[in-house]
């Protein structure tokens, strides 16, 4: 459970599916038995209660659908990172060479693990313009009644690039391979609407910046690496 932040969500999917199948099977069994015995005098025919049976059938179908939606959500969020409970570093950005002639800036983007160490295998080089960068992070929060399903919300890196200045063309931005978050009714039941947080920083060649996520103030924070 500790290694899988979606353990409770997956367990909920299985339990809900079993419950939904049971409700649908129960109603189907009642209707089947009634159809087989309604014309026989030697068998005590099951009394069909249309309102109750249809209500149980509808509830069963809804629970099965909810189980499928929660399982799909668990699959989609598998590669997302779980939000920390307190302010924590989530990435480092190293500023490479600034070419004044072409106005190009080389950035090196490093996600970090929970201990704050760079994950070198996930390094992303980013070439952009200007002497400022902008990092975009998409944040997902559970709706209040479903918070117990996860160990916190999720976040993922969306894009990193420069800033557009007046009279200049749009600055280049590099996608950081964010996954598409479901926008269907099922996802809206469990999660709030995704929000994109942004952080901007002027930079100079050789600088290294830590990017921190603060779930309490709902903001990204940038500070010089110590």
């Amino acid at each position: 459970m500790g290694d899988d932040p979606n353990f409770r969500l997956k367990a909920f999917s299985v339990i809900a599916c079993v419950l939904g199948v049971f409700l649908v099977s129960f109603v189907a069994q009642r209707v089947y038995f009634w159809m087989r015995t309604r014309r026989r005098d030697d068998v005590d025919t099951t009394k069909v209660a249309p309102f109750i049976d249809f209500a149980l059938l509808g509830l069963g179908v809804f629970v099965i659908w909810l189980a499928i939606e929660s399982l799909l959500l668990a699959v989609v969020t598998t590669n997302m990172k779980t939000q920390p409970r307190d302010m924590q570093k989530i990435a480092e950005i190293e500023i490479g060479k600034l070419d004044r002639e072409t106005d190009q800036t080389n950035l090196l983007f490093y996600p970090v693990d929970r201990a704050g160490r760079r994950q070198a295998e996930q390094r992303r080089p980013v070439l952009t313009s200007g002497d400022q960068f902008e990092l975009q992070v998409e944040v997902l929060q559970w709706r209040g009644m479903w918070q117990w399903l996860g160990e916190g919300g999720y976040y993922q890196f969306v894009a990193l690039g420069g800033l557009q200045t007046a009279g200049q063309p749009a600055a280049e931005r590099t996608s950081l391979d964010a996954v598409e978050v479901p926008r269907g009714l099922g996802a809206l039941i469990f999660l709030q609407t995704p929000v994109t947080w942004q952080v901007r920083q002027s930079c100079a060649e050789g600088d290294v910046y830590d990017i921190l996520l603060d779930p309490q103030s709902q903001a990204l924070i940038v500070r010089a690496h110590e």
Side-chain angles (χ1 to χ4, degrees), residues 62-75:
F62 173 77
V63 171
I64 293 174
W65 171 78
L66 200 64
I68 295 173
E69 289 288 344
S70 61
L71 183 59
L72 291 175
L73 186 62
V75 172

Side-chain angles (χ1 to χ4, degrees), residues 16 24 26 33 47 67-68 76 86 94 101 110 137 144 160 181 206:
V24 172
F26 175 75
F33 186 75
K47 295 181 180 180
I68 295 173
V76 170
D86 301 307
E94 183 176 339
E101 294 183 0
Y110 294 91
V137 177
L160 174 63
V181 179

Side-chain angles (χ1 to χ4, degrees), residues 26-37:
F26 175 75
V27 174
Q29 180 269 336
R30 278 174 52 84
V31 173
Y32 175 77
F33 186 75
W34 173 78
M35 293 180 64
R36 292 292 302 272
T37 61

Side-chain angles (χ1 to χ4, degrees), residues 28-192:
Q29 180 269 336
R30 278 174 52 84
V31 173
Y32 175 77
F33 186 75
W34 173 78
M35 293 180 64
R36 292 292 302 272
T37 61
R38 59 178 178 167
R39 299 183 184 278
R40 296 181 57 178
D41 297 331
D42 58 330
V43 177
D44 185 13
T45 303
T46 300
K47 295 181 180 180
V48 176
F51 177 80
I52 296 177
D53 288 336
F54 275 112
L56 289 176
L57 181 62
L59 179 61
V61 171
F62 173 77
V63 171
I64 293 174
W65 171 78
L66 200 64
I68 295 173
E69 289 288 344
S70 61
L71 183 59
L72 291 175
L73 186 62
V75 172
V76 170
T77 57
T78 296
N79 295 324
M80 291 187 182
K81 300 179 182 295
T82 304
Q83 288 184 36
R85 298 186 181 276
D86 301 307
M87 186 170 64
Q88 181 176 312
K89 183 169 75 170
I90 60 173
E92 288 185 17
I93 297 177
E94 183 176 339
I95 314 303
K97 184 177 180 181
L98 298 176
D99 191 331
R100 295 300 180 184
E101 294 183 0
T102 61
D103 196 30
Q104 293 291 309
T105 304
N106 292 305
L107 307 175
L108 287 177
F109 173 78
Y110 294 91
V112 301
D113 58 21
R114 291 188 177 183
R117 297 185 296 264
R118 289 182 177 183
Q119 296 179 294
E121 68 280 1
Q122 297 184 30
R123 182 184 68 173
R124 291 292 301 273
V126 175
L127 181 63
T128 186
S129 58
D131 57 358
Q132 298 184 71
F133 68 78
E134 179 182 70
L135 175 66
Q136 297 180 347
V137 177
E138 187 174 57
V139 178
L140 298 173
Q141 304 281 6
W142 290 97
R143 293 196 181 275
M145 65 177 296
W146 299 109
Q147 288 182 356
W148 60 276
L149 286 177
E151 298 181 7
Y154 302 96
Y155 71 91
Q156 61 176 342
F157 302 107
V158 177
L160 174 63
L163 291 176
Q164 182 178 6
T165 57
Q168 298 295 325
E172 300 90 342
R173 288 185 180 176
T174 298
S175 172
L176 299 177
D177 300 329
V179 300
E180 183 67 23
V181 179
R183 296 293 197 273
L185 179 59
L188 291 177
I189 289 177
F190 292 102
L191 297 173
Q192 301 177 26

